[in-house]
Amino acid sequence: MDTNNIIIFDTTLRDGEQSPGASLDINDKIQIARQLVLLNVDVIEAGFPVSSPGDFESVSRIAQEVRGVSVAGLARAVEKDIDSAAQALEKAERPRIHVFLATSEIHRKYKLQKAKEEIIHLAVKGVKHALKYVDDVEFSPEDASRTELDFLVQVVEAVIDAGAKTVNIPDTVGYAVPDHYASIIRGLKENVKNINKAVISVHCHNDLGLGVANSLAAVKAGAQQVECTINGLGERAGNAALEEIVMALKTRQDFYHCSTRIATKELIATSRLVSTLTGLRVQRNKAIVGENAFAHQSGVHQDGVLKERTTYEIMKPEDVGLHKTKIVLGKLSGRHAFKDRIRELGYEVSDDEFERAFEEFKRVADKKKEIFDEDIEAIIGVEKTDVPHVFQLESLSISCGPQVNPTARVQLKLQDNRIVEAHTNGDGPIDAIFKAIDMLTSITGKLLNYNIHAVTGGKDAMGEVYVDIDVGGKTIRGRAVSTDIIEASAKAYLNAINKVVGKKTV
Ligand code: KIV
Ligand code: ZN
């Protein structure tokens, strides 16, 4: 099937950075720009150089550092903006100056106080001035979707005549709806005589939640470039989300007959980087890159997906950079999903062990909304363990804090049910616990690694602890999970010690 290539113009670093709440320093911007190169976007709009010295600096650093992609700088249709953009883009391999001027009646009357003729004159003058510096000039009639179509036709024709290679049609205030927006694109294609000399671009804001729908409708009507942002960041409600546009075009190529050059496997990494650096979290149920986008909760869906992925999935998680579909195990999950996950985790359990584990799973799932892999390992660990319980933690108490010498009191249960106890101090509570265990087991483990992390979120989070200890030149790993991280630490250490006494090492 022949497909038309859609140019992806990423404006995360310009319009995206205008998101209330987003803040990026120059190093963050360079990091994002590098990731956008990996994502293979066609154009990176790096900033609005005249707007601040910081923006100027980041556009020029990005222009200098990234290769294989066009770098655009935004400018109003005034000489000082265009000069500043040109200067910031000096070192770019493929510089583009993006000139904009509002054209709608509301903007002409209240913001600019200029007549139509003057708008056309300034737009043409701006494009010509930019062409003195670069070959690649884009022009945007700001608020195009609220501009009278006949006037928009005149402006677009004039700037193409002046040499603009791309004409971008912004829905600046997110006012358009898909049929209306598509009709503007068709109107331009039909009425602008020189339209074939330029690329038609679209730039949709999301005030009515229609940014992506409007962009796609425009593509169907013949637009060849889409301006968008990672995670849909942007002024007010944001811009059309890049990941949604790209995956819609890929998934529904049968309908759009279009493709992009985007390396879709980089989508998740890019989304996470942008979210981390801007501090703007992605909502869980966000299409494509949200945590739930490839997660199945209902037992019926889980059964279907496990039998045949396409029953409930229209995209492959691998295509966006995820490892696999997420089956969210919880109280709605059935035997099929539970057994499948146990197998995936590499465990073999007998039928009896499985039945017991499944019962335990249902019990835990009643208390805990989501059951994670680590929870399952803990459940399986209850049912199936090849580590002998030579020493078991009977009780544990610590005292620590500012001005307090950390101490631990540990009681262990031996195989003959005797309880032994030690009371020690250490550099910290964990050190004190490990010393007490060494004392009680007569085994001295040299701690090589201690790793702790919360495996689930919320107040019922399970803390998982891994320890690597050296005993007689052998490295032994111990692991334990508990809602109490101090207890998990003691149990992980004991798990390793039990492997030593049971002559089992990993
Ligand atoms: O939304 C808008 O109109 C813009 C222009 C500067 C392209 O961001
Ligand atoms: Zn915008």
Side-chain angles (χ1 to χ4, degrees):
M1 183 193 350
D2 269 358
T3 60
N4 297 317
N5 179 57
I6 299 297
I7 299 164
I8 297 296
F9 177 115
D10 179 277
T11 182
T12 307
L13 295 174
R14 200 277 297 168
D15 218 328
E17 217 230 348
Q18 290 173 218
S19 291
S23 69
L24 292 168
D25 67 24
I26 185 160
N27 293 321
D28 298 337
K29 289 187 184 176
I30 292 169
Q31 220 180 317
I32 291 175
R34 291 205 181 109
Q35 180 60 34
L36 292 172
V37 172
L38 292 180
L39 186 63
N40 221 18
V41 303
D42 299 284
V43 186
I44 295 175
E45 186 163 52
F48 188 1
V50 84
S51 67
S52 73
D55 242 49
F56 182 92
E57 171 76 2
S58 48
V59 175
S60 49
R61 285 278 305 278
I62 290 167
Q64 204 172 325
E65 295 198 16
V66 302
R67 289 292 172 264
V69 61
S70 297
V71 178
L74 185 67
R76 287 169 298 181
V78 293
E79 289 194 355
K80 80 166 167 76
D81 283 32
I82 295 167
D83 295 343
S84 171
Q87 211 186 324
L89 292 169
E90 236 166 29
K91 302 248 167 62
E93 187 182 36
R94 295 184 213 156
R96 172 181 296 192
I97 298 180
H98 179 188
V99 179
F100 77 100
L101 178 64
T103 52
S104 66
E105 190 186 3
I106 300 175
H107 282 236
R108 289 192 318 261
K109 189 167 160 191
Y110 297 106
K111 188 177 89 175
L112 302 171
Q113 280 125 23
K114 292 197 190 312
K116 286 180 175 173
E117 301 68 40
E118 203 178 345
I119 296 287
I120 296 187
H121 171 73
L122 290 174
V124 166
K125 199 168 152 217
V127 169
K128 287 192 173 155
H129 190 64
L131 281 166
K132 291 182 192 150
Y133 296 109
V134 296
D135 293 335
D136 187 359
V137 174
E138 168 168 332
F139 180 80
S140 287
E142 191 190 7
D143 205 17
S145 56
R146 292 194 298 172
T147 301
E148 308 89 314
L149 186 61
D150 58 343
F151 181 53
L152 191 62
V153 167
Q154 286 178 45
V155 174
V156 168
E157 198 167 302
V159 294
I160 296 176
D161 253 350
K165 293 229 166 51
T166 303
V167 282
N168 180 43
I169 309 302
D171 180 26
T172 303
V173 290
Y175 175 74
V177 293
D179 285 352
H180 162 224
Y181 195 56
S183 75
I184 298 175
I185 304 301
R186 276 194 300 273
L188 293 174
K189 282 179 73 94
E190 281 158 20
N191 298 298
V192 175
K193 289 193 204 72
N194 51 7
I195 196 72
N196 291 333
K197 292 198 181 141
V199 165
I200 300 180
S201 167
V202 290
H203 176 115
C204 297
H205 279 269
N206 211 23
D207 299 68
L208 293 173
L210 293 170
V212 170
N214 288 337
S215 306
L216 292 172
V219 165
K220 192 71 182 162
Q224 300 126 303
Q225 170 177 290
V226 177
E227 302 198 353
C228 42
T229 57
I230 301 297
N231 299 340
L233 296 186
E235 189 77 49
R236 303 180 310 280
N239 289 58
L242 180 149
E243 59 278 6
E244 295 177 24
I245 300 280
V246 166
M247 290 312 289
L249 293 176
K250 183 176 167 80
T251 308
R252 295 306 311 273
Q253 221 182 71
D254 62 315
F255 182 75
Y256 290 106
H257 306 295
C258 290
S259 56
T260 70
R261 281 191 272 266
I262 294 298
T264 59
K265 286 188 184 343
E266 292 293 331
L267 284 171
I268 293 283
T270 314
S271 162
R272 290 191 181 155
L273 179 71
V274 168
S275 166
T276 306
L277 296 181
T278 56
L280 295 178
R281 281 183 64 99
V282 171
Q283 77 199 51
R284 260 187 98 125
N285 61 332
K286 161 90 177 59
I288 317 296
V289 292
E291 212 182 308
N292 289 357
F294 291 90
H296 303 273
Q297 176 99 38
S298 133
V300 174
H301 288 208
Q302 292 180 349
D303 185 51
V305 165
L306 290 168
K307 285 177 175 146
E308 167 54 42
R309 189 188 59 78
T310 55
T311 51
Y312 287 100
E313 252 178 23
I314 58 165
M315 294 167 273
K316 288 199 203 112
E318 297 86 340
D319 284 353
V320 302
L322 281 174
H323 294 307
K324 58 183 167 51
T325 299
K326 187 173 167 197
I327 299 288
V328 181
L329 291 181
K331 64 177 180 194
L332 299 175
S333 305
R335 286 188 154 67
H336 189 170
F338 184 58
K339 190 171 246 171
D340 203 73
R341 183 66 63 82
I342 292 175
R343 227 179 271 132
E344 256 179 32
L345 291 171
Y347 293 97
E348 284 286 335
V349 287
S350 68
D351 288 352
D352 278 358
E353 281 170 332
F354 175 78
E355 288 308 323
R356 276 200 303 274
F358 188 62
E359 242 173 64
E360 171 72 359
F361 163 74
K362 282 288 186 186
R363 203 182 55 74
V364 177
D366 255 344
K367 290 203 219 129
K368 229 170 157 286
K369 179 147 174 58
E370 199 174 323
I371 304 290
F372 291 81
D373 290 352
E374 291 78 3
D375 298 329
I376 292 180
E377 283 177 344
I379 290 167
I380 297 296
V382 169
E383 300 305 318
K384 171 186 184 293
T385 174
D386 51 6
V387 179
H389 285 167
V390 179
F391 301 107
Q392 286 182 63
L393 186 67
E394 179 68 15
S395 76
L396 170 67
S397 63
I398 53 161
S399 73
C400 60
Q403 323 292 330
V404 176
N405 187 13
T407 57
R409 182 184 299 277
V410 176
Q411 285 192 329
L412 298 184
K413 191 194 228 177
L414 307 183
Q415 274 175 318
D416 59 7
N417 286 335
R418 266 185 311 129
I419 306 286
V420 290
E421 180 179 313
H423 188 197
T424 48
N425 51 22
D427 291 338
I430 303 293
D431 184 49
I433 291 168
F434 292 176
K435 280 193 175 134
I437 293 176
D438 284 351
M439 207 181 273
L440 293 171
T441 59
S442 305
I443 290 173
T444 304
K446 184 166 167 249
L447 188 64
L448 303 174
N449 265 312
Y450 173 81
N451 251 303
I452 182 162
H453 70 279
V455 291
T456 59
K459 288 197 188 125
D460 58 358
M462 298 278 246
E464 180 181 49
V465 175
Y466 279 101
V467 293
D468 290 332
I469 59 172
D470 181 298
V471 179
K474 271 192 177 163
T475 302
I476 296 118
R477 168 162 291 190
R479 174 187 170 281
V481 182
S482 169
T483 46
D484 174 342
I485 54 169
I486 299 288
E487 183 186 317
S489 304
K491 284 185 167 169
Y493 195 76
L494 265 181
N495 179 244
I497 297 279
N498 277 329
K499 284 178 183 171
V500 178
V501 294
K503 301 215 175 2
K504 294 201 186 254
T505 54
V506 176

